[in-house]
Amino acid sequence: MNSGDTAWVLTSAALVLLMTPGLALFYGGMVRSKTVLNMMMMSFGAIGVVGVLWVLYGYSMAFGDDVGGGLVGSPTELFGLTALMGTDGLEGGFVSKELVFTIPSMAFVAFQAVFAIITVALISGAIADRARFGTWMVFTAIWATVVYFPVAHWVFAFDGAESEVGGWIANRLLTIDFAGGTAVHINAGAAGLALALVLGKRVGWKRDPMRPHNLPLVMIGAGLLWFGWFGFNAGSALAANGQAAEVFVNTLVATCAAMLGWLVTERVRDGHATSLGGASGVVAGLVAITPACSAVSPSGAIVIGAVAGVLCALAVGLKYRFGYDDSLDVVGVHLVGGIVGTVGVGFVGTAIASAGVDGLLYGGGVDQLWRQAVGAGAVLAYSFVLTFVIGYALQRTIGFRVDEDDEASGLDSVVHGETAYDLHQTFGGVRTPGAAIATDRATAPAGADKKESVEA
Amino acid sequence: MNSGDTAWVLTSAALVLLMTPGLALFYGGMVRSKTVLNMMMMSFGAIGVVGVLWVLYGYSMAFGDDVGGGLVGSPTELFGLTALMGTDGLEGGFVSKELVFTIPSMAFVAFQAVFAIITVALISGAIADRARFGTWMVFTAIWATVVYFPVAHWVFAFDGAESEVGGWIANRLLTIDFAGGTAVHINAGAAGLALALVLGKRVGWKRDPMRPHNLPLVMIGAGLLWFGWFGFNAGSALAANGQAAEVFVNTLVATCAAMLGWLVTERVRDGHATSLGGASGVVAGLVAITPACSAVSPSGAIVIGAVAGVLCALAVGLKYRFGYDDSLDVVGVHLVGGIVGTVGVGFVGTAIASAGVDGLLYGGGVDQLWRQAVGAGAVLAYSFVLTFVIGYALQRTIGFRVDEDDEASGLDSVVHGETAYDLHQTFGGVRTPGAAIATDRATAPAGADKKESVEA
Amino acid sequence: MNSGDTAWVLTSAALVLLMTPGLALFYGGMVRSKTVLNMMMMSFGAIGVVGVLWVLYGYSMAFGDDVGGGLVGSPTELFGLTALMGTDGLEGGFVSKELVFTIPSMAFVAFQAVFAIITVALISGAIADRARFGTWMVFTAIWATVVYFPVAHWVFAFDGAESEVGGWIANRLLTIDFAGGTAVHINAGAAGLALALVLGKRVGWKRDPMRPHNLPLVMIGAGLLWFGWFGFNAGSALAANGQAAEVFVNTLVATCAAMLGWLVTERVRDGHATSLGGASGVVAGLVAITPACSAVSPSGAIVIGAVAGVLCALAVGLKYRFGYDDSLDVVGVHLVGGIVGTVGVGFVGTAIASAGVDGLLYGGGVDQLWRQAVGAGAVLAYSFVLTFVIGYALQRTIGFRVDEDDEASGLDSVVHGETAYDLHQTFGGVRTPGAAIATDRATAPAGADKKESVEA
Amino acid sequence: MKLITAVIKPHKLEDVRAAVETFGVTGMTVTEASGYGRQKGHTEVYRGAEYDIALIPKVRLEMVIEDDECDDIVGVIVKSAQTGRIGDGKVWVTPVESVVRVRTGDRDADAV
Amino acid sequence: MKLITAVIKPHKLEDVRAAVETFGVTGMTVTEASGYGRQKGHTEVYRGAEYDIALIPKVRLEMVIEDDECDDIVGVIVKSAQTGRIGDGKVWVTPVESVVRVRTGDRDADAV
Amino acid sequence: MKLITAVIKPHKLEDVRAAVETFGVTGMTVTEASGYGRQKGHTEVYRGAEYDIALIPKVRLEMVIEDDECDDIVGVIVKSAQTGRIGDGKVWVTPVESVVRVRTGDRDADAV
Ligand SMILES: Nc1ncnc2c1ncn2[C@@H]1O[C@H](COP(=O)(O)OP(=O)(O)O)[C@@H](O)[C@H]1O
Ligand SMILES: Nc1ncnc2c1ncn2[C@@H]1O[C@H](COP(=O)(O)OP(=O)(O)O)[C@@H](O)[C@H]1O
Ligand SMILES: Nc1ncnc2c1ncn2[C@@H]1O[C@H](COP(=O)(O)OP(=O)(O)O)[C@@H](O)[C@H]1O
């Protein structure tokens, strides 16, 4: 066990955990003020559900030995994680008995847990303002189990790391996906597209202005995402070494280039470089460099970032052309950005990078390019089909979409019984007509019964 | 000195420092818009005062050798911390001469400083909207000195770590409190209850709606608290080792379970799972796992988290039944959560955990259970009594509570001379009637003199 | 290569990166609601531009071997950073081939990149509400190249670290500037003053109330800055050792003292201790301790912090007396704070600190004092003159200041085509008169053409 | 001249505006308002404490128009703002003695 | 019909509402307002620069009611909104020519 | 008594207030409003989707004043609020039957 590596992976795990609240802010600021809480709760809810499942059987499914012909790891092998506990005690410096490379298995558990969490949370952006919260919670459990845990096994389970026999994309196809361009971003992007199709368009889509209600909140979210993403990418080295440092620099510079790419695209096309564009460019760049960060030089990272910035800025318009309401552009940013980065490795990958091979533009031919394309395509197809089936089944059984009146009223008050802001200088916190407060829960009827009409 | 351990503890210290601004946001979003700044300043003020005292004599009182029959460490032993300075210089790699286990004493100083700070800041939630800021600042100095430093000595000063003879709870009673369930949460919770009783209820309590004015701010705070708490708990291993990794996983999963527990409780009882409930569940889970995180398995952590989520969701209603205005539920969340976690170790503690012993449910009998209960009870009683006395004395001398008019106007404008938000699209930043600006301080009379009436 | 040191420097680099979004919030909350997005975008834009330039030639100019008689490092030596890539591969644990002390060069690249970024971003506070965004982006590129990279070379390039021959302030003058009091804060402060003079005062300055539109946002920013600053200062040890720990404690306690100093000054002078004052005191303290943090004892840090808190609280009034519109007090906080800290080392520096020499008050005479003063003065003068020339040239050529109508309307809508908040309970997201949405970019005319009049 | 004040449901704003425009009403002043009446609010719950939110978001429109158009325009507003559900709002008419366009000083009929 | 407009202190809103309800006034429209008058505002200080905040938060109520109830209701409002301190506000009455309930098209007395 | 309602550009608020004060108007009630009229709004773009923002921020003033001062004050408001550019706003006058000062119960001329 190496304490420096462990320190870095624990730090990275905390950083990646922060990304999901960061995402909640990023998404929350983009919706209208009547659904910001619901938007945030989809992320927080995902943390709750996936965190518990991960400990119970998720880690085992992702990193246990192959079962089902390589589809997934054995869910029982590490059930409850008790098998990974145990240290050498005080005298032995609490060195962990179970290691993944040079770090305690438990550190790896934590680091990978937050990957699972954010992948699920990302999907929620595609179905803003219209999903039943209860169904969303059920969806997160099913989707994590049926889609994420298997895909994570394919992409992240290297032979001999936690278990002997790992996933086919990592070990047989040899797609380069350092930190999850396929397992996280293409996966979430494809799932977002499927759910957006299943749930359908928001009432008033393309007619009512659904502009972001709080852009500084979006910027806070973008800042926290960027910060956390260094854990995501450089932490994926699972060590504090030269690779982690290279990855860090690539992650920084690709994001810078992507932000500039998005802003320039907007300036040329719309006449304004916007703050939402800047924040979106940041995320697009981070997405794109995620699979590529250990396989390109800093100049290659600039190229990948800039291309992702421009392409994603264009891709967010596709939904208007094709008519799917991917509300917060999970497809335009995560699916497209994920593909740019994953396939981009086939072009600008370079052998001088710590985990790179020469891509097409570096004279490496198309060998790596097709590996990248096949890996990306396999995850995309698997995720899209399975998500569509899960979403459709939920919609047909317990119902996934809220009714129209509730959607018009806004999910915050209808579903969560809350209002995000009470900034009235005058009414705020003064008694208003009828504002009786019932606090003795024993005598008060349940809130849900009182709701009469909020459809104004 | 181990550089990996040092890196992790320094990182953890920074994480825990962030928790107090995070708490400021968490608390600030929950009050009405006319007191959000005051609420935040109680946290920031606590950082200022406690930070300075810690360096002067606080660390020495907490971690110096016993004086006063074990009540506290010697305040003079490490006064000003100069005794802990000194490294081997450039050639020696700046290795510290004074160590606590494998890390520089100064790293331990920093890590423990931020514990002292947040404990004091936590209390402010119980007295929202009605405390004089000057008195609060005096209170923080006295309370830290008379309550926190001694209690920290009892719980955190292990024999032979910084000084030879440490505290009785840690070394004689052998209560398991890994990261401060007693010293931090029960301590702050009991103090909050005492202060809430001393200061009395807010004007309009139970009559006027005092709903949170900015729930996204609460969510930002909850996110930062969660993030920082990994430093709080896993950093308490004082090393980047297997124990830290186990603690990290337990901290993650208990929080997830607590959030779910709180949300389910609300959904069943009130008909709505709320975002405030989600954020509160997060904090309740973090509180409860704090003492237990090194003594339970991940499944045990799920149990502690879920129980804390449910019980705290119920406990926040107690104030309405018993009639004390613990405004932001320091009792319901920190006192109750702290007890759940501390006593919970007596039930679900397990010897396979790095610092655990078998609890009642693991066949370990009641031995550890009574140690946990006695430790919790001792801190609770000491803190409650002392705080009540301090608060009462301050109220009787310099006055602790603002007058009714000022409370109705809101502390932000009266005490701090500020307004939190100026979002008016129209008035914002345009001259309004009489908005003369006096900027030359030499000629302008002091602002306080000008105040005539803000009681509208 | 030391993995613990590497872990700490990577963590610190991430922390410092977060400071710039933190600064965006800190600054953004202080302006009026009609320019908050523009204010934030000046920081985000600086990240984009400087990040890319740093990788291309900035690092090389700062840390390459002297050219131009010591003015700057060679821009071509490490162009594109390819020369720093390369590790020992999987078997060799991905240990980096190029090191700076005990860490990979690439980690140092990342750490120093975020220093360059935030220095540029800091300047924007001086020209709030009135700068053309495009010109600002051009300015950041020129200023980084002509001012920051050379000054960083003088101050941060130690002989033998990255290249053989480093900068004159670090190696010949022997000014103590641990983490950038001169290169970062005096540099940015002097540049801010120059730009404020070039651009002139805002319309309505001293007449219209330009109070902060969102103080909780300012507090979030201050919290994130403080958090990140531990990376800035303690990370500058480039190792997780005793020096880093000492620096950490000094950074904490000086900031506490500065906050108290600012609050007391306000309370005495204005009758109110404000939250903006608290946040400002935090930043003033952090600025002042930056150059001094490795050269003073904790008590010395308290002195430097308290002095900075008081002096900066007084200095922010100077602009009203001298009539320059340094909108967000880059001069009053960063220039004055930077001078307090840099010169303060000459007074309270102590040889018991890891990198200290005895200052005047510790019996060390004036030797170090003049070194500090000369270093500070040199950077101040260089930065002021060059920035004035650059700013003036830009104003005369492409124009730096927006026209009066646009300034009155607010830069958010005019320049960025956005509005920060849409919190209307009623209008928010409902169709309002004429709110037609054009989404098909192929057919819609560019937004800029549509603008008719926003001067209400 | 008359002043028509209409308190309506927010999402009807654009329908009303479009409807009155066909009657030559090209200007109006809009304020956010809250209404209290037959329509009941909703309940919010914060940490188990219930609040009845009785004030319901409304939009308040003011149009100064000429006397002879008044009845027609009121009719048009009522029709275009109607959903048939409780809380649709009120429209009332008050006499105006004079009106001036600030930009030009034009009065009365010329001013609107 | 008459329109009563009352500008009062915000924390008196619920007292006024409860008081007029006993006179059969079951609906009203509320807007946030700021008042300027005898009551002085307060001073705020930001980094040493002082601002006099002269506009004081008020609540503005509108009730359309029947002619004969008018005096009583004005009296009730004044009584329930009174604190006796400067800044309690004003109540004024203007004539209303007609009023319509949007939901039903009911007019005048039936409409309120 | 008369009620003068003025809808003006926000940045003219202080000029108007100062101007009417010289005519003895010491109180007024201010509300934030949005205007729709000849003045066109602006376009915003979010991720490539364009929104026309048609409602333009305005400030709405109400002053109850005595009959004989009315014309003068309207004139003063118009003059001090004028910029000469589209969107300067409107001022209209309506009759007031009575006005009461809440604090004292004073009526009409004594109440303002
Ligand atoms: N007497 C009144 N004076 C002024 N506004 C009123 C009055 N009564 C109702 N309103 C306004 O009309 C709105 C709708 O009234 P309500 O009684 O809820 O429904 P409806 O008009 O459909 O019967 C209220 O929310 C309020 O804003
Ligand atoms: N002439 C007026 N016209 C309209 N509103 C007024 C007028 N004078 C005062 N007001 C409103 O009444 C409020 C109270 O007035 P003020 O002069 O402060 O106290 P008081 O009415 O107790 O003498 C003001 O804040 C303003 O909103
Ligand atoms: N008929 C009307 N009734 C009430 N308010 C109006 C009317 N017409 C215009 N307004 C208000 O006056 C403002 C200015 O009107 P506008 O037509 O844009 O410019 P101008 O008055 O200079 O011709 C509008 O924004 C609106 O608030």
Side-chain angles (χ1 to χ4, degrees), chain B residues 213-270:
Chain B
H213 87 284
N214 192 337
L215 284 167
L217 202 62
V218 173
M219 300 302 265
I220 299 176
L224 293 181
L225 281 170
W226 198 343
F227 175 57
W229 222 295
F230 288 112
F232 202 90
N233 284 4
S236 289
L238 298 182
N241 56 17
Q243 182 176 63
E246 282 181 22
V247 165
F248 197 112
V249 170
N250 284 340
T251 300
L252 176 63
V253 77
T255 311
C256 293
M259 192 206 315
L260 298 179
W262 193 302
L263 290 176
V264 167
T265 306
E266 281 193 334
R267 183 70 183 77
V268 168
R269 187 189 57 186
D270 311 322

Side-chain angles (χ1 to χ4, degrees), chain C residues 323-341:
Chain C
Y324 57 92
D325 180 7
D326 169 23
S327 320
L328 308 182
D329 298 307
V330 182
V331 176
V333 175
H334 294 275
L335 181 54
V336 173
I339 293 174
V340 166

Side-chain angles (χ1 to χ4, degrees), chain D residues 7 34-39 58 85-90 92, chain E residues 25-29 62-64 101 103 112:
Chain D
V7 177
S34 303
Y36 181 76
R38 276 186 190 72
Q39 186 189 6
K58 300 284 170 197
R85 277 186 282 194
I86 288 185
D88 273 354
K90 314 281 172 203
W92 62 83
Chain E
V25 180
T26 55
M28 64 178 73
T29 298
E62 287 174 305
M63 297 170 222
V64 178
R101 181 194 307 280
R103 172 165 48 95
V112 296

Side-chain angles (χ1 to χ4, degrees), chain C residues 22-41:
Chain C
L23 183 76
L25 305 175
F26 183 69
Y27 278 175
M30 266 191 266
V31 297
R32 288 164 291 174
S33 63
K34 63 184 175 180
T35 47
V36 48
L37 299 178
N38 176 257
M39 198 68 236
M40 300 181 83
M41 281 307 284

